[in-house]
Amino acid sequence: MGSSCPCIKATRWFVMLLYVRHSASYSRINLHRQLLSKRSFVKPFSCRLYAGSSPRKRKSNQQQSTTLEWERFEFGESPKWDDRFESSRTFITNNEEELQRVVQEEAAKDQVALEQINQHAAAWEQLSPDSVPKATELLIPYVKPDRLERIRGVLRQRTIQTSFLFENPSNPSNVWACLRTIESFGVQHVHVVIESGRYLGKAALSQKRGMRTAMGAAQWLTLSNYASAKEAVATLKRNNVRLYASDVNPKARDIRTIDWKAHADQQICIVMGNEERGISDEMRELVDETFYLPMQGFAESFNLSVATAITLAHLSAASAQTTTGPLRPGDLSKHEFDCLVLKGLLHSIAQPKVAYALLKKEGLELPSETLRLL
């Protein structure tokens, strides 16, 4: 018998086969570990974990659009972590001490962003009514006639009768969608409350970073930033603005029952709360009225951008065939209209700094704050 026994031979072959398969598997595992340890391979795997798509597909999407384009924008596969909102997926340490340091740094950055946005708006508002038309005439030859006519045509439909206020929003893609929807309905002014202390946890901090990018890229709107709800409401009420907040509470009214003409002599501001928490208790006490959007399904609430769009649709319907509705196209002052046309021309020139240099050469120097967010 010895080694020539068929049973023994078969057993040896089976053992050898197991050894080969085990060795191959072991080699594949080691190779996989080596690949993962290389930096060039970590990023695609990370993208797949976040986006739920293959690395190849993710790369293709990034090639299609890597910047926030106001007039042409398509949402990515994972809007909550869209790479176009800078640092919206930035890793933040798990170390508690380091996290507290990041919280403090973020609060300081929020304050800087607040000041920049408000300085930008104030700089445009304070431009001389005489210098703006002159600057516009100098830049017109550098913009195509059809582009100039589109800018003027769109701005003729703008309204300041209604504005929107967002209190501590958390999702940059949501904010971006809201801003673009608001602009498409002709609303010019948007107010944003960012209270740094309300953004707790790594995810909230990371998304708030992306929010600063979203607001900074809203080039066709006039933004105002506030550090608290109290400050925002006080500023608006000093200007005789009536505030309506979207909220679910026993006193809230169906938006369809609101008589928008009852206070036709006042401008109005629509307040939208955080995506998860809604408006704060403080805001609820400060606003003049609260309303809700009727729903017939099992869902408890609308997405923030959807709620904004539905609210605007109601406001638009209430403004049809009347000049005293909440949306009043063409009610901008001449100075604000002229400033927005000039800003539109600067947006339409490939290098705004070159346009600024041209104006400076002709003796029309615009404040540096007007360039900051272009």
Side-chain angles (χ1 to χ4, degrees):
M1 294 176 64
S3 61
S4 61
C5 176
C7 294
I8 294 177
K9 284 184 177 181
T11 302
R12 285 178 178 173
W13 278 108
F14 181 72
V15 171
M16 290 177 65
L17 179 61
L18 288 176
Y19 175 79
V20 170
R21 292 185 65 181
H22 175 74
S23 299
S25 298
Y26 183 78
S27 299
R28 284 197 299 271
I29 292 171
N30 278 342
L31 176 61
H32 187 60
R33 286 174 177 168
Q34 290 174 16
L35 293 178
L36 285 175
S37 68
K38 294 183 180 297
R39 244 177 125 176
S40 59
F41 282 83
V42 172
K43 188 173 181 179
F45 279 99
S46 298
C47 287
R48 184 167 187 174
L49 288 173
Y50 278 109
S53 62
S54 67
R56 183 179 299 176
K57 189 173 183 181
R58 179 71 174 178
K59 185 176 180 181
S60 174
N61 284 347
Q62 288 181 337
Q63 289 175 345
Q64 291 175 7
S65 177
T66 58
T67 58
L68 291 174
E69 297 180 9
W70 185 265
E71 296 177 43
R72 294 185 180 88
F73 181 84
E74 292 183 4
F75 286 100
E77 293 174 332
S78 183
K80 191 172 183 179
W81 299 112
D82 196 317
D83 291 332
R84 287 167 291 188
F85 300 102
E86 297 176 10
S87 301
S88 61
R89 196 174 59 203
T90 302
F91 173 77
I92 297 177
T93 179
N94 286 318
N95 181 279
E96 186 62 31
E97 183 177 342
E98 183 70 11
L99 183 59
Q100 290 305 313
R101 183 186 65 79
V102 172
V103 169
Q104 294 175 2
E105 290 179 354
E106 280 297 302
K109 290 178 181 178
D110 289 338
Q111 182 62 33
V112 171
L114 181 152
E115 293 173 357
Q116 287 181 345
I117 288 175
N118 292 342
Q119 288 171 1
H120 176 78
W124 278 100
E125 185 179 346
Q126 294 166 9
L127 288 178
S128 166
D130 296 328
S131 63
V132 174
K134 293 178 182 177
T136 300
E137 290 301 317
L138 285 171
L139 296 182
I140 284 177
Y142 299 91
V143 178
K144 293 181 179 180
D146 58 340
R147 179 62 175 173
L148 174 62
E149 185 52 38
R150 173 158 174 74
I151 291 172
R152 285 176 170 166
V154 168
L155 293 177
R156 288 190 192 102
Q157 301 302 312
R158 283 289 198 261
T159 181
I160 59 172
Q161 173 62 22
T162 293
S163 62
F164 271 72
L165 187 155
F166 293 92
E167 185 189 19
N168 296 312
S170 61
N171 187 323
S173 288
N174 264 342
V175 172
W176 183 252
C178 291
L179 295 178
R180 293 181 75 247
T181 301
I182 288 169
E183 192 269 340
S184 69
F185 274 86
V187 174
Q188 182 61 38
H189 289 264
V190 176
H191 313 274
V192 183
V193 173
I194 299 292
E195 297 178 88
S196 301
R198 290 185 181 269
Y199 291 82
L200 304 175
K202 295 181 291 182
L205 287 170
S206 293
Q207 289 189 46
K208 181 161 61 64
R209 293 178 179 182
M211 203 117 50
R212 291 198 294 264
T213 302
M215 291 188 293
Q219 59 194 31
W220 293 106
L221 294 171
T222 302
L223 296 181
S224 299
N225 205 338
Y226 306 90
S228 69
K230 184 177 180 180
E231 178 191 356
V233 173
T235 301
L236 290 166
K237 289 199 171 183
R238 276 199 302 270
N239 294 309
N240 194 34
V241 176
R242 186 173 178 81
L243 286 89
Y244 296 84
S246 174
D247 187 37
V248 179
N249 68 72
K251 296 182 180 179
R253 297 175 56 185
D254 185 328
I255 191 172
R256 296 171 296 185
T257 67
I258 296 178
D259 182 6
W260 302 102
K261 297 178 184 178
H263 302 278
D265 59 331
Q266 288 183 276
Q267 292 182 356
I268 68 171
C269 179
I270 305 297
V271 181
M272 309 298 286
N274 177 272
E275 291 91 326
E276 296 178 5
R277 301 184 300 272
I279 62 172
S280 64
D281 293 337
E282 182 182 24
M283 181 66 79
R284 189 174 293 109
E285 293 296 323
L286 292 171
V287 299
D288 297 293
E289 282 192 60
T290 56
F291 68 87
Y292 66 89
L293 302 175
M295 303 179 68
Q296 277 74 44
F298 289 106
E300 295 182 355
S301 63
F302 290 110
N303 171 276
L304 178 62
S305 59
V306 173
T308 299
I310 294 173
T311 301
L312 280 160
H314 281 286
L315 297 177
S316 180
S319 304
Q321 300 178 345
T322 179
T323 58
T324 58
L327 300 183
R328 303 177 187 179
D331 64 352
L332 273 66
S333 68
K334 182 180 183 304
H335 180 58
E336 184 169 11
F337 176 84
D338 290 343
C339 286
L340 290 172
V341 170
L342 177 56
K343 187 187 288 189
L345 293 178
L346 291 167
H347 283 309
S348 302
I349 295 174
Q351 296 293 332
K353 290 184 179 180
V354 175
Y356 271 69
L358 174 64
L359 294 176
K360 185 177 180 179
K361 183 179 178 181
E362 297 297 327
L364 292 170
E365 186 172 1
L366 298 179
S368 60
E369 288 81 5
T370 60
L371 176 63
R372 190 181 301 276
L373 299 179
L374 292 179

